[in-house]
Amino acid sequence: MLAEIGKDISKARELLQRGLAVAIPTETVYGLAANALDPNAVLQIFEIKNRPQFDPLIVHGASRERLSNYVTAFPDWAVKLADALWPGPLTLVLPKAKSIPDLVTSGMDTVAIRVPNHPMTLDLLSQLDFPLAAPSANPFGYVSPTSAKHVMMQLGEKIPYILDGGECAVGVESTIVGEVEGRVIVLRLGGVSVEEVEALIGKVEVLTESLPNAVIPGSLTSHYAPRTPLVVGPIEFDKYKRSLIGALRFSVESEKLHPSQQVVLSRAGDLREAAKNLFAAMRQLDRQGAKVIFAEEFPEEGLGRAINDRLRRAATQ
Ligand code: TXA
Ligand code: MG
């Protein structure tokens, strides 16, 4: 059976209440959601995604007040960020309450929480008396979905319903912020820029690939990967036949390739627009039959940092 795609919030609600997993829209990427308080429901997420159980999930709620029930502390820095940025592409990692099953947090004593900024999903969440655990709705390791159609193509045979909320406005996953040994750290770059975080709570550290993976179990380097090999940096014309090259560009095409071999993320050179279009572009290039994709490096500022992060992860094989 293939999933149904629709805009019926009560249908999504009923399926979730029955303990099933449903794809839901958020402003970042589509999520594969299930009752976060029900281990059997959560288990389906791991099975459907083929996701290892050492990779914990984000718990989504309708408001800070509701999510406060699932953490044992809400420190000052977290209150400031939540007040300013929720609903929005920000996830906070805080000490977990007992009601959250260990399966959700992979046995860790912290839980990742966020209020997503999508009207349909906020409506859905406010109608439920449980929060939703939801990773991105893609098979583990592949590019995240930014439209209902993307979800359909990859998980359509495994889920009953995809709540269609249109194209995701932000297009990269949420920024994850947590506290490690008393220091506030950006654990994953995402839809809120480091500059925005720092404007609210002062200087923060950013977890980079050189730091150990232990702090954030899901930050495997090979992630978000298209099937076609992807290289970050200038196009190596001497190494490949031109017709075999695909190019992911920021604002202008390479003059040396045919326009059909390339995707430009933002003609205006706007990093937000580029982030929004990133994953769909990776999918498009993946389908075009190129033997290698060259992705330009983006400016290391604003959402450019999240874009470079995703490109580097996609490039590591
Ligand atoms: O934008 C998003 O965050 C999307 C939408 C659906 O909300 N979700 C998403 O989920 O990106 P997922 O599962 O693809 O990524 C969640 C990340 C994982 O890398 C995981 O390791 C990390 O959050 N995470 C979850 N709980 C954590 C915790 N307690 N401590 C540290 N990292 C945690
Ligand atoms: Mg993911």
Side-chain angles (χ1 to χ4, degrees):
M1 268 267 287
L2 217 52
E4 186 187 329
I5 297 189
K7 297 180 190 296
D8 188 348
I9 294 171
S10 11
K11 171 143 192 175
R13 185 191 68 217
E14 279 155 28
L15 291 165
L16 289 163
Q17 282 166 337
R18 278 169 45 203
L20 298 173
V22 166
I24 57 165
T26 84
E27 80 282 33
T28 58
V29 301
Y30 274 70
L32 180 62
N35 181 350
L37 306 182
D38 175 357
N40 288 322
V42 173
L43 193 56
Q44 290 179 45
I45 294 178
F46 288 94
E47 287 168 357
I48 292 167
K49 270 189 68 109
N50 214 352
R51 180 177 172 119
Q53 286 181 15
F54 56 76
D55 193 4
L57 306 175
I58 296 173
V59 172
H60 300 70
S63 65
R64 169 147 76 86
E65 291 62 42
R66 288 216 196 179
L67 285 173
S68 300
N69 297 321
Y70 308 110
V71 298
T72 56
F74 221 116
D76 256 5
W77 63 265
V79 171
K80 279 188 191 139
L81 292 179
D83 272 349
L85 300 169
W86 277 354
L90 168 79
T91 294
L92 299 173
V93 172
L94 298 175
K96 129 191 196 330
K98 284 210 183 68
S99 53
I100 298 292
D102 285 333
L103 183 57
V104 171
T105 63
S106 307
M108 291 199 295
D109 52 13
T110 52
V111 61
I113 55 173
R114 108 173 171 97
V115 181
N117 189 15
H118 191 289
M120 287 168 85
T121 291
L122 283 173
D123 189 356
L124 173 66
L125 284 166
S126 67
Q127 292 182 36
L128 294 168
D129 59 4
F130 49 82
L132 292 174
S136 47
N138 51 293
F140 184 71
Y142 194 69
V143 181
S144 296
T146 51
S147 72
K149 200 174 124 210
H150 293 163
V151 181
M152 186 63 146
M153 288 192 289
Q154 292 184 312
L155 298 181
E157 283 168 5
K158 298 183 169 174
I159 55 178
Y161 198 64
I162 300 168
L163 187 62
D164 186 358
E167 267 179 43
C168 300
V170 174
V172 290
E173 295 87 346
S174 59
T175 299
I176 304 181
V177 186
E179 193 174 326
V180 180
E181 289 161 1
R183 290 139 53 206
V184 178
I185 299 190
V186 173
L187 298 168
R188 177 176 74 183
L189 295 163
V192 170
S193 68
V194 175
E195 291 90 331
E196 283 173 272
V197 169
E198 291 188 330
L200 292 161
I201 59 168
K203 200 88 189 131
V204 291
E205 291 172 68
V206 179
L207 189 74
T208 61
E209 280 166 60
S210 57
L211 283 161
N213 270 349
V215 198
I216 179 153
S219 60
L220 302 173
T221 41
S222 176
H223 222 102
Y224 310 101
R227 297 203 170 78
T228 314
L230 183 143
V231 178
V232 185
I235 304 174
E236 296 164 35
F237 288 104
D238 51 332
K239 274 205 191 155
Y240 298 88
K241 254 178 85 175
R242 283 198 188 178
S243 59
L244 299 180
I245 296 175
L248 188 66
R249 310 283 297 176
F250 180 13
S251 56
V252 285
E253 276 124 354
S254 159
E255 286 167 12
K256 297 187 189 155
L257 294 176
H258 193 268
S260 68
Q261 293 172 269
Q262 315 184 47
V263 179
V264 173
L265 294 185
S266 170
R267 300 235 169 245
D270 175 0
L271 289 168
R272 281 186 188 276
E273 185 182 20
K276 174 176 167 9
N277 294 330
L278 176 66
F279 289 147
M282 280 164 78
R283 282 168 192 270
Q284 187 182 328
L285 288 166
D286 215 6
R287 282 195 308 265
Q288 274 174 6
K291 284 287 166 289
V292 59
I293 300 168
F294 284 95
E296 215 173 347
E297 227 179 314
F298 283 68
E300 272 288 322
E301 63 186 32
L303 290 204
R305 293 183 72 172
I307 296 173
N308 284 333
D309 172 79
R310 300 304 185 272
L311 291 175
R312 286 181 197 126
R313 288 178 201 280
T316 319
Q317 293 299 323

